[in-house]
């Protein structure tokens, strides 16, 4: 066996970062599915009941959490380009 890395396999993933990404994706689910927490009228924000502005705020928070989870997954699972061989038609 040689000490050269296998170019056809991905490097190991950082499981801690993947766990953080999973938590970021689970937060909006829990926050929206836990209806008894936000099924109320007060406090109002500009005359809009809490029930509505809470859900509307999660539209943006969910987008931010999804983007952050995506960036964490990209960092946790590094990409190593595969080396082409001379017989695969790669003219580089």
């Amino acid at each position: 066996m040689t000490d050269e890395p296998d170019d056809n396999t991905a490097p190991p993933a950082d499981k801690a970062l993947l766990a953080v990404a999973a938590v970021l994706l689970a937060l909006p689910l829990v926050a929206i599915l836990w209806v008894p927490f936000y099924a109320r009228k007060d406090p109002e924000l500009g005359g809009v009941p809490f029930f509505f502005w809470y859900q509307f705020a999660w539209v943006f928070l969910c987008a931010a959490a999804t983007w952050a989870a995506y960036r964490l997954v990209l960092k946790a699972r590094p990409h190593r380009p595969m080396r082409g061989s001379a017989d695969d038609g790669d003219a580089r």
Side-chain angles (χ1 to χ4, degrees):
M1 292 191 138
T2 63
D3 289 336
E4 290 183 26
D6 183 10
D7 291 329
N8 293 326
T9 60
D14 184 348
K15 293 185 193 281
L17 285 179
L18 291 177
V20 171
V23 168
L24 279 174
L25 292 174
L27 279 175
L29 287 173
V30 171
I32 296 298
L33 291 176
W34 188 21
V35 177
F37 173 73
Y38 64 91
R40 53 194 161 116
K41 184 178 179 188
D42 292 325
E44 291 185 359
L45 182 65
V48 178
F50 181 72
F51 179 80
F52 293 110
W53 67 259
Y54 177 81
Q55 290 182 45
F56 188 68
W58 273 105
V59 171
F60 302 103
L61 293 171
C62 185
T66 303
W67 178 81
Y70 169 72
R71 298 301 300 174
L72 283 172
V73 168
L74 286 180
K75 188 174 182 178
R77 300 177 67 193
H79 174 72
R80 179 171 42 210
M82 295 172 36
R83 261 193 273 167
S85 61
D87 61 348
D88 67 0
D90 193 8
R92 288 186 208 173

